[in-house]
Amino acid sequence: MLAPVPEQWNYIPEEILIQIFYYLSLQDRYAVFQVCKQWARAVSSSSVWHFTEIRCDSEDEESMLQSLVQFLSQIKHLKIVFDQSKEVNRQNVRRILDLLAKQSHKLQQLCIVCHGENPYFYSGQDILQSIRNICDARNQIDLQHIDFRKMPFTLDDELVELIATTNPNLHSLFINNRTLVCNVAPDTIRKVLKACPRLSALGVYYASLSDDVFLELLKPERAAFTHLDIFCERLDKYIPVISEELWAAVSQKHPQLCVDLEFDHTVPACKIPRILKLNIPVSTLQLNTFNYMVNQIRFVTQSYSSTLKKLTLQTTSSEELNSSLIDLARHCQKLLEIHCYCVVSQEVVEAFLTHCPSLKQYTLKITKERHPWKPVTVQ
């Protein structure tokens, strides 16, 4: 006769329980901790907490977050997701970050994601101060991966330089967070590269790049640089563009380099052709400009056919657009995703399905539909 289910659970080895609990959310780990001594012991294993996502989205999380305190020192990869519209959530995030600043920890990766409406006149200075506290803390830190792309608070030179100088083993740093103003100067990025010789992935505003930044990447002792994620916005019309020669030199020095370029709708149409250069190894390109894009698409087809893997367009329908997209499909055969947020012809859809064997997703509509448009997954 089979034993009752609870008794069967008692015979599961602790190592197996640890593997199961590793995949649970923070809320579920909190529930597991209260079931029995065996489960509490298993969920308390450091292996369970190495990768942890903390969500601060409601007001009834006080006890759960309180129980988290004893495990903070075991977390290596931390992702914090919170609804910034509520003061209690912002307070909880500050508490977590401040606790990290006060105790020894093994944190290697930090990612902060905000969602919800940003309250009027709220600039996130309290959260940014807590991040400063972590870097200023006497406890030695060794962050290797930082991702602030979805934390919409304006970063400044002082904070970015502090992050770099206190974390010299950084491998990736993404600070292209789409705020209205870029306050990180090119000289700060140059200092970041100098302070972090192992940095191989960087996300910045185009306004934070300069010739000196590229010259730092060209130094003989520079380790392999593989990913540059660039956000272009309205202020870029006032700054010099990176030359074709420097792009060519950096691409030659770092042959594995992939560049992701995103153009915001605030970028003047006349500036886009000046920023796009022949020798940029573009992997992802987002043209969210709502302008006439036919000439840019033709340039992309001629220049990036061997590297382009994802293309996103916000433009207007026309026969010329259809023609340029069909030509792009024939030449960019490494394309994994194509998303065009205007109506295209059936021939365009067929061209991408026929000529792009690696295609995984596409958003190509032949009739108008209500937004948001959902992509199609290729089976």
Side-chain angles (χ1 to χ4, degrees):
M1 181 176 179
L2 292 175
V5 172
E7 292 184 21
Q8 288 181 335
W9 276 101
N10 289 335
Y11 292 107
I12 297 178
E14 187 170 305
E15 308 85 61
I16 302 299
L17 288 174
I18 290 171
Q19 290 296 316
I20 295 172
F21 296 159
Y22 170 85
Y23 293 100
L24 297 183
S25 66
L26 182 62
Q27 289 86 345
D28 290 336
R29 291 178 191 176
Y30 176 64
V32 160
F33 186 78
Q34 301 176 79
V35 171
C36 64
K37 290 182 179 179
Q38 181 192 13
W39 284 26
R41 186 171 58 250
V43 81
S44 299
S45 169
S46 60
S47 300
V48 172
W49 295 91
H50 284 174
F51 290 82
T52 297
E53 178 177 314
I54 301 173
R55 302 192 71 91
C56 300
D57 291 331
S58 63
E59 299 179 4
D60 58 350
E61 297 172 333
E62 181 67 28
S63 57
M64 181 184 65
L65 292 174
Q66 190 64 37
S67 69
L68 174 69
V69 173
Q70 60 184 305
F71 303 115
L72 276 178
S73 62
Q74 301 176 24
I75 298 174
K76 291 185 177 181
H77 303 265
L78 176 61
K79 182 177 182 179
I80 301 175
V81 182
F82 71 102
D83 181 352
Q84 62 182 337
S85 66
K86 298 178 181 178
E87 171 63 23
V88 64
N89 295 333
R90 302 196 296 270
Q91 289 177 352
N92 285 333
V93 172
R94 293 199 302 272
R95 283 177 54 203
I96 294 166
L97 294 174
D98 290 341
L99 284 170
L100 282 170
K102 292 176 182 177
Q103 61 179 258
S104 298
H105 54 77
K106 303 175 182 178
L107 198 62
Q108 297 177 0
Q109 179 173 327
L110 177 62
C111 175
I112 299 179
V113 175
C114 302
H115 64 88
E117 291 295 324
N118 194 346
Y120 288 122
F121 309 113
Y122 177 67
S123 61
Q125 290 304 310
D126 50 352
I127 304 292
L128 296 178
Q129 184 57 52
S130 293
I131 294 172
R132 288 188 184 92
N133 293 341
I134 291 178
C135 295
D136 283 335
R138 294 181 180 179
N139 296 322
Q140 188 175 359
I141 61 173
D142 188 25
L143 286 170
Q144 297 176 19
H145 304 278
I146 296 176
D147 190 346
F148 292 156
R149 281 176 288 191
K150 294 185 178 180
M151 185 185 74
F153 310 135
T154 301
L155 306 171
D156 58 26
D157 291 324
E158 181 184 2
L159 176 56
V160 173
E161 191 170 347
L162 176 64
I163 289 171
T165 54
T166 55
N167 298 280
N169 291 319
L170 269 180
H171 287 67
S172 65
L173 174 64
F174 294 97
I175 55 174
N176 47 329
N177 57 354
R178 296 168 179 78
T179 54
L180 292 176
V181 180
C182 172
N183 280 345
V184 181
D187 192 54
T188 298
I189 300 302
R190 182 190 63 80
K191 291 176 181 177
V192 167
L193 290 170
K194 193 169 185 178
C196 305
R198 299 180 182 178
L199 193 70
S200 61
L202 177 64
V204 292
Y205 284 73
Y206 192 86
S208 297
L209 297 176
S210 68
D211 290 0
D212 287 340
V213 171
F214 273 59
L215 291 174
E216 190 68 38
L217 289 172
L218 289 172
K219 288 187 174 179
E221 65 273 17
R222 185 78 219 172
F225 196 74
T226 58
H227 186 197
L228 185 57
D229 191 357
I230 305 171
F231 180 65
C232 306
E233 43 87 53
R234 60 187 177 88
L235 293 180
D236 295 340
K237 64 183 178 181
Y238 301 114
I239 64 169
V241 298
I242 306 300
S243 69
E244 187 72 71
E245 292 74 21
L246 277 174
W247 274 116
V250 167
S251 298
Q252 184 175 8
K253 161 75 175 171
H254 304 282
Q256 302 302 315
L257 177 63
C258 294
V259 176
D260 295 342
L261 270 170
E262 179 179 353
F263 288 86
D264 185 63
H265 69 277
T266 59
V267 180
C270 62
K271 189 73 174 184
I272 297 174
R274 297 185 59 199
I275 293 175
L276 291 175
K277 299 294 184 182
L278 178 65
N279 288 314
I280 305 178
V282 175
S283 177
T284 298
L285 179 61
Q286 298 185 59
L287 295 168
N288 302 320
T289 57
F290 301 95
N291 296 318
Y292 180 80
M293 287 283 105
V294 171
N295 292 334
Q296 282 76 21
I297 295 172
R298 288 171 178 163
F299 178 83
V300 169
T301 301
Q302 296 169 1
S303 307
Y304 310 140
S305 60
S306 62
T307 60
L308 189 65
K309 293 183 179 179
K310 180 179 178 180
L311 177 63
T312 302
L313 301 170
Q314 298 271 9
T315 184
T316 54
S317 303
S318 70
E319 285 303 316
E320 287 183 309
L321 176 67
N322 290 334
S323 176
S324 63
L325 286 174
I326 291 171
D327 192 43
L328 183 139
R330 290 170 176 165
H331 289 84
C332 299
Q333 297 184 3
K334 293 183 179 180
L335 208 62
L336 301 176
E337 296 184 37
I338 171 71
H339 305 282
C340 182
Y341 293 95
C342 69
V343 174
V344 298
S345 67
Q346 180 64 38
E347 288 76 16
V348 170
V349 180
E350 293 172 356
F352 282 101
L353 292 175
T354 301
H355 300 291
C356 302
S358 301
L359 194 67
K360 297 185 182 299
Q361 270 194 343
Y362 67 88
T363 307
L364 300 167
K365 303 296 182 180
I366 59 175
T367 58
K368 287 185 178 180
E369 297 181 10
R370 285 187 177 183
H371 286 277
W373 288 1
K374 295 182 179 180
V376 175
T377 301
V378 179
Q379 300 299 327

